């Protein structure tokens, strides 16, 4: 489970790192709606076209099968000018990203 949070953090840091004209980008939306025992929601958007959101919830609380199930997406504009979007699920089955630019397994 820690791997899911580490991956999400690495993705956020790599997308948020200033590159070229992106160094002047500002956050235009930052929502941290709900953080609690049963789940959370967050979202952000920057002026240079980066956005992300995620929702998580605790499933099977108090059992041996307790797991955090996460759904989210992030989008950015690549150096080639194309907008890329990745949607993902992370749960007991691992991290499962999907995007038109990602290889199909």
């Amino acid at each position: 489970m820690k791997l899911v949070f580490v991956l999400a953090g690495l993705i956020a840091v790599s997308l948020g790192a200033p590159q070229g004209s992106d160094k002047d980008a500002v956050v235009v939306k930052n929502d941290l709606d709900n953080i609690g025992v049963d789940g959370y929601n967050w979202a952000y958007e920057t002026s240079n076209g980066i956005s992300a959101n995620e929702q998580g919830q605790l499933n099977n609380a108090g059992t041996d099968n307790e797991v955090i199930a996460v759904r989210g997406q992030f989008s950015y504009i690549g150096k080639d000018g194309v907008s890329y979007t990745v949607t993902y699920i992370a749960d007991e089955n691992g991290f499962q990203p999907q995007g038109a630019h990602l290889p199909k397994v």
Side-chain angles (χ1 to χ4, degrees):
M1 189 51 52
K2 291 178 185 175
L3 178 60
V4 171
F5 291 113
V6 170
L7 285 174
L10 289 174
I11 290 169
V13 168
S14 67
L15 290 177
Q19 298 175 356
S21 63
D22 290 344
K23 69 180 178 173
D24 298 322
V26 295
V27 175
V28 296
K29 175 185 171 188
N30 186 13
D31 293 328
L32 191 55
D33 293 335
N34 177 19
I35 298 209
V37 175
D38 58 343
Y40 65 90
N41 296 307
W42 60 259
Y44 69 84
E45 185 177 333
T46 62
S47 61
N48 60 347
I50 296 172
S51 66
N53 66 67
E54 185 173 282
Q55 306 81 40
Q57 67 182 33
L58 182 61
N59 291 339
N60 306 316
T63 72
D64 289 341
N65 297 323
E66 185 175 276
V67 63
I68 296 176
V70 174
R71 292 184 176 274
Q73 72 88 28
F74 60 90
S75 300
Y76 62 96
I77 299 171
K79 291 183 180 183
D80 56 3
V82 175
S83 180
Y84 295 94
T85 299
V86 175
T87 58
Y88 59 89
I89 297 172
D91 56 18
E92 65 273 11
N93 298 312
F95 182 68
Q96 305 157 54
Q98 294 182 343
H101 63 289
L102 298 176
K104 307 289 188 258
V105 180

